Amino acid sequence: MWVFRSVLGARTAARLLWGVLSASGRHGPAASSYSASAQPSRVRALVYGHHGDPAKVVELKNLELAAVGGSDVHVKMLAAPINPSDINMIQGNYSLLPKLPAVGGNEGVGQVVAVGSNVTRLKPGDWVIPANAGVGTWRTEAVFSEEALIGVPSDIPLQSAATLSVNPCTAYRMLVDFEQLQPGDSVIQNASNSGVGQAVIQIAAALGLRTINVVRERPDIQKLTDRLKSLGAEHIITEEELRRPEMKNIFKDVPQPRLALNGVGGKSSTELLRQLAPGGTMVTYGGMAKQPVIASVSLLIFKDLKLRGFWLSQWKNNHSPDQFKALILTLCDLIRRGQLAAPTCTEVPLQDYQHALEASMKPFVSSKQILTM
């Protein structure tokens, strides 16, 4: 056996020992009890030993859990989503890559089973989420250091808690950090049906902001339109409509946006720039099209537009854990008030992970896959 640790260091590492893995790759039954004595127990985890196609390199393995130390927390995972960043990590093309072999998953919610003698902020029964990426949440249980976890209220929906620490945080920070928007101002975004996009719509509505939401044309466009409008979206247009001259008619009713949020890149981002008010800002947080952002020289010169980027991991590096905790609690308040719901989700049992991985990589999928333990 050998010790598995994240390349991201002790802050985010879940300390566990590899068990004896079956040569056939089959998994045994899940652990059925969670003792406060923290005796070693069998857990199941989705592990990848090398980078590649997630559907091919990820396997369900048996691991052996380490005993709980003085500053450790034993957590039973409840649910964990599959995000694009998780897929990119497994493929090997993300900025943060854990040391291999690694357990997949950067986000999720678990319940505290037992705590070490030096733990002061958490107790058995508490719900917790990871403080940083790289801990490996696709498993039935784990032992984390206390500082690697943030406590969250257990009176919010499970799906909301499981999807709280990445997309809603990204959406909130982009809406408040780059332009000083006031109620009645507008925001334009592409990838509006993504997890970030759905969070932007809801948080913007809670802040009194109006949204112009761009989506790709698809067979079920009316169903998607109805869903986004139910979240508070005001205008929903396709990428094709964004390029038409008639697009300017929207601004007879809505102020021209000073903030654009780009999760696509390529031509879509160029069109977002064209719609910005003079002096406006486009924030890029993703590149689904796998194409560069191309900015017109005339737009930069004559409209003095600003191009910025956002990465939540970098934001957390520049802010204290208490500031991230405050952000989480702000979002929890929105959830309690009914102003922020989880993205459309499909719950999938952990053992059906291959189906969930394949579904998460299909085009035009508006439902986030959630692994349940």
Side-chain angles (χ1 to χ4, degrees):
M1 296 188 293
W2 63 90
V3 177
F4 171 88
R5 287 183 183 271
S6 167
V7 72
L8 302 180
R11 288 193 52 159
T12 58
R15 299 206 313 270
L16 49 77
L17 298 176
W18 285 102
V20 178
L21 302 180
S22 165
S24 66
R26 297 179 189 175
H27 60 275
S32 58
S33 63
Y34 302 90
S35 170
S37 63
Q39 294 297 318
S41 60
R42 288 274 179 207
V43 301
R44 294 183 297 167
L46 296 180
V47 180
Y48 58 102
H50 57 276
H51 298 299
D53 181 352
K56 296 179 180 178
V57 301
V58 174
E59 297 180 273
L60 187 59
K61 299 283 189 181
N62 288 334
L63 305 181
E64 194 169 288
L65 201 67
V68 177
S71 300
D72 294 335
V73 180
H74 179 188
V75 177
K76 175 186 176 183
M77 293 302 301
L78 302 175
I82 299 177
N83 289 320
S85 59
D86 302 324
I87 298 298
N88 292 338
M89 272 191 175
I90 297 169
Q91 292 169 334
N93 53 18
Y94 196 66
S95 293
L96 290 178
L97 296 177
K99 194 176 297 182
L100 301 182
V103 177
N106 292 302
E107 186 180 32
V109 62
Q111 187 171 36
V112 174
V113 176
V115 301
S117 58
N118 298 329
V119 173
T120 59
R121 295 184 294 104
L122 299 170
K123 64 184 184 302
D126 287 351
W127 277 16
V128 291
I129 62 174
N132 290 290
V135 299
T137 55
W138 298 349
R139 57 176 117 196
T140 54
E141 54 185 309
V143 174
F144 299 102
S145 65
E146 181 184 18
E147 63 182 3
L149 300 170
I150 293 178
V152 297
S154 59
D155 62 350
I156 61 176
L158 181 68
Q159 290 184 353
S160 294
T163 58
L164 178 61
S165 63
V166 177
N167 292 336
C169 293
T170 296
Y172 187 92
R173 295 264 56 100
M174 292 194 300
L175 284 170
V176 303
D177 288 353
F178 294 92
E179 289 285 342
Q180 300 304 307
L181 302 178
Q182 302 298 322
D185 288 345
S186 71
V187 177
I188 188 169
Q189 66 165 341
N190 55 24
S192 302
N193 60 304
S194 67
V196 172
Q198 293 179 56
V200 164
I201 290 169
Q202 297 175 84
I203 296 171
L207 297 174
L209 304 175
R210 307 169 72 178
T211 55
I212 304 166
N213 303 280
V214 184
V215 298
R216 290 184 295 175
E217 183 65 68
R218 63 195 66 211
D220 62 344
I221 186 68
Q222 189 56 53
K223 180 179 178 181
L224 175 60
T225 297
D226 294 342
R227 162 66 179 164
L228 297 183
K229 285 192 173 181
S230 73
L231 297 178
E234 184 164 352
H235 292 279
I236 300 169
I237 60 175
T238 64
E239 294 280 1
E240 291 75 15
E241 292 170 332
L242 181 65
R243 299 185 180 97
R244 294 175 185 168
E246 294 80 11
M247 176 67 193
K248 63 179 182 295
N249 293 332
I250 288 182
F251 302 123
K252 296 177 181 178
D253 176 53
V254 180
Q256 197 169 9
R258 300 204 324 272
L259 179 66
L261 305 178
N262 169 43
V264 178
K267 293 180 179 179
S268 179
S269 58
T270 303
E271 293 301 322
L272 286 189
L273 278 172
R274 291 181 57 234
Q275 311 306 327
L276 277 177
T281 302
M282 184 174 76
V283 182
T284 294
Y285 66 93
M288 296 179 185
K290 295 184 171 63
Q291 296 174 353
V293 171
I294 301 175
S296 162
V297 171
S298 63
L299 290 177
L300 294 178
I301 294 175
F302 301 120
K303 293 180 70 174
D304 190 25
L305 301 182
K306 299 180 287 291
L307 302 180
R308 300 290 303 275
F310 182 82
W311 184 31
L312 184 63
S313 294
Q314 187 65 46
W315 183 90
K316 289 193 284 188
N317 287 340
N318 295 328
H319 293 78
S320 70
D322 287 342
Q323 288 173 301
F324 183 54
K325 172 76 172 184
L327 171 58
I328 292 293
L329 294 180
T330 295
L331 295 171
C332 287
D333 286 341
L334 292 178
I335 293 170
R336 287 199 192 93
R337 294 201 294 264
Q339 295 176 306
L340 178 61
T344 305
C345 295
T346 300
E347 294 189 0
V348 181
L350 183 67
Q351 62 267 24
D352 296 331
Y353 69 95
Q354 286 187 323
H355 173 76
L357 287 171
E358 291 169 357
S360 69
M361 293 185 287
K362 290 181 179 178
F364 305 115
V365 174
S366 297
S367 182
K368 185 177 290 294
Q369 304 294 302
I370 302 280
L371 297 169
T372 56
M373 316 307 173

